[in-house]
Amino acid sequence: MNIIYNKKLIIGILILIFNLIGYSEEKKPFISIGTGPIDGVFYPTGVVIAEVIKEAGYNSSAQSTAGSGENIDFLYFKKVEMAISMSDSVHQAYNGVGAYKIKGPMKNLKCITGLHPNFTQIVTLRDSGIKTFEDLKGKRIGIGIYNSGVELNARLLYEIHNMNYKDSDIIYSTPGEIIEQLKSNLLDAIFLTNTIPNEIIYNLANEVPISFVEISDEGYKNLKKKWPFFFRGIISKNDYNIDKSVKTVAVQNLLLVDGNLSEDVVYDITKAFFENLDRIKETHISVKRNVSLENYSKNVEIPFHEGAIRYYKEKNIWK
């Protein structure tokens, strides 16, 4: 009887352990974060975010991707649990418009917090003769990796100027590669929708004379009317040691999460993010300048996850 009893006891303990392990795994899912190219800003920021999530008790890692567009697809198809993406891409995906019209609305995209702005920076060599957006017609233009946030941003700007990619010789490549191609006169201009100052543009400006293509007031007005997530941005002459400041447009970067994650999990992630914000701010000067608890909802147009809302209510700042 003792042997039978002991066997039943052991089996009961093993079942209890397996149940506890299963419960722990369900409560503590692996959190993979979609970021961007390694030579961009999203990746190092994502690496630090993954570190603070680990310290909150979750296994987590940052995944290098093509950027905003691919990150949204990865979230939708559950290849990652979190992602950083530009608000122009997010708006189109969430509402099923623009580049995402065929795929339809992606309502599982939820926001944890707004991050820092990305500025459209259309760079050319100073003696290229390119001054206006329309001057890009017939030119060799680098627009980043296909389906990246930069590429989707460029697509909207071409559209609003009554142009399309057929009007230029479009080259898809990484930010670092198109910078080198511009410097070697293999490209006439490049798009980099990114932070200001951008390190690779700054380094380019120290090697060769550059200028930026301005987004005119009329262009901005038409863009804002159709896509309200855009806002005015200025490339200061002090940012890159250029002759004069240039008007451009900007969009907000967002920290996204799969809406199917539990409220408790996203609350833990949100809390870990803001309790370690000083470390995250060290990843880039633009992150340091713009990311704060007070700015969590700035230029955010999609719904927040309930777990993030719980944290903001706890801090008495939910709007």
Side-chain angles (χ1 to χ4, degrees), residues 2-21:
N2 286 338
I3 293 174
I4 295 173
Y5 175 77
N6 287 338
K7 283 183 176 179
K8 287 182 177 179
L9 180 62
I10 291 169
I11 291 171
I13 291 171
L14 288 173
I15 291 172
L16 178 61
I17 291 171
F18 288 140
N19 285 338
L20 287 172
I21 291 172

Side-chain angles (χ1 to χ4, degrees), residues 103-283:
K103 293 180 182 177
M106 299 183 178
K107 298 299 184 183
N108 71 314
L109 303 179
K110 293 294 187 291
C111 188
I112 288 182
T113 182
L115 296 172
H116 53 287
N118 267 8
F119 298 81
T120 297
Q121 299 170 74
I122 308 173
V123 192
T124 185
L125 300 182
R126 197 173 295 172
D127 61 358
S128 68
I130 298 174
K131 304 296 181 184
T132 69
F133 198 95
E134 288 77 8
D135 290 337
L136 300 179
K137 288 182 179 180
K139 300 297 194 298
R140 301 162 299 176
I141 311 299
I143 57 170
I145 301 170
Y146 179 76
N147 201 32
S148 65
V150 177
E151 190 267 320
L152 295 180
N153 184 271
R155 196 182 303 179
L156 297 183
L157 285 164
Y158 265 80
E159 174 190 293
I160 213 68
H161 287 88
N162 297 313
M163 295 165 58
N164 58 51
Y165 285 172
K166 292 180 181 178
D167 291 310
S168 303
D169 181 8
I170 297 297
I171 307 298
Y172 300 99
S173 197
T174 66
E177 288 169 345
I178 60 176
I179 281 279
E180 289 301 316
Q181 290 170 347
L182 177 66
K183 188 168 62 174
S184 301
N185 285 302
L186 297 174
L187 291 173
D188 299 302
I190 61 173
F191 280 75
L192 282 173
T193 302
N194 213 304
T195 54
I196 289 181
N198 178 283
E199 184 178 1
I200 57 177
I201 297 177
Y202 181 84
N203 291 337
L204 176 68
N206 285 329
E207 294 181 45
V208 295
I210 66 169
S211 61
F212 293 84
V213 178
E214 186 165 84
I215 305 298
S216 68
D217 290 339
E218 182 182 0
Y220 171 65
K221 181 181 177 181
N222 293 335
L223 190 66
K224 182 75 173 176
K225 184 176 180 180
K226 185 168 185 180
W227 303 108
F229 46 77
F230 279 100
F231 50 94
R232 241 327 174 194
I234 301 293
I235 302 171
S236 168
K237 63 180 182 180
N238 297 322
D239 289 323
Y240 298 115
N241 192 28
I242 53 179
D243 292 338
K244 63 177 182 177
S245 297
V246 178
K247 292 179 181 178
T248 188
V249 294
V251 294
Q252 194 78 355
N253 291 312
L254 307 179
L255 183 60
L256 303 176
V257 66
D258 182 350
N260 296 307
L261 281 180
S262 75
E263 180 179 325
D264 286 344
V265 169
V266 178
Y267 169 84
D268 289 345
I269 291 171
T270 309
K271 183 178 181 181
F273 179 91
F274 284 106
E275 287 187 349
N276 293 276
L277 189 54
D278 286 345
R279 283 168 56 190
I280 295 168
K281 284 185 174 186
E282 292 305 312
T283 59

Side-chain angles (χ1 to χ4, degrees), residues 19-144:
N19 285 338
L20 287 172
I21 291 172
Y23 173 76
S24 175
E25 288 179 348
E26 181 180 354
K27 187 178 181 182
K28 301 283 189 182
F30 187 91
I31 307 297
S32 181
I33 307 170
T35 61
I38 293 176
D39 58 358
V41 176
F42 285 1
Y43 181 74
T45 302
V47 168
V48 177
I49 293 173
E51 288 174 0
V52 303
I53 291 173
K54 279 183 183 179
E55 292 167 9
Y58 296 83
N59 287 321
S60 182
S61 69
Q63 181 175 337
S64 177
T65 69
S68 295
E70 187 169 67
N71 288 344
I72 288 168
D73 288 342
F74 280 2
L75 263 180
Y76 183 74
F77 293 110
K78 302 194 181 303
K79 293 182 178 180
V80 298
E81 289 69 39
M82 290 176 60
I84 302 173
S85 186
M86 297 194 298
S87 59
D88 54 344
S89 302
V90 176
H91 174 95
Q92 293 177 75
Y94 186 81
N95 294 288
V97 297
Y100 293 86
K101 188 174 183 179
I102 295 176
K103 293 180 182 177
M106 299 183 178
K107 298 299 184 183
N108 71 314
L109 303 179
K110 293 294 187 291
C111 188
I112 288 182
T113 182
L115 296 172
H116 53 287
N118 267 8
F119 298 81
T120 297
Q121 299 170 74
I122 308 173
V123 192
T124 185
L125 300 182
R126 197 173 295 172
D127 61 358
S128 68
I130 298 174
K131 304 296 181 184
T132 69
F133 198 95
E134 288 77 8
D135 290 337
L136 300 179
K137 288 182 179 180
K139 300 297 194 298
R140 301 162 299 176
I141 311 299
I143 57 170

Side-chain angles (χ1 to χ4, degrees), residues 289-319:
R289 286 175 180 172
N290 295 282
V291 182
S292 68
L293 185 58
E294 294 73 25
N295 287 342
Y296 81 90
S297 63
K298 187 175 181 180
N299 297 312
V300 177
E301 294 186 339
I302 67 165
F304 284 86
H305 192 286
E306 286 298 320
I309 293 173
R310 185 171 122 201
Y311 179 79
Y312 297 133
K313 285 182 175 178
E314 188 178 273
K315 293 295 182 180
N316 296 315
I317 59 169
W318 174 247
K319 300 174 183 178

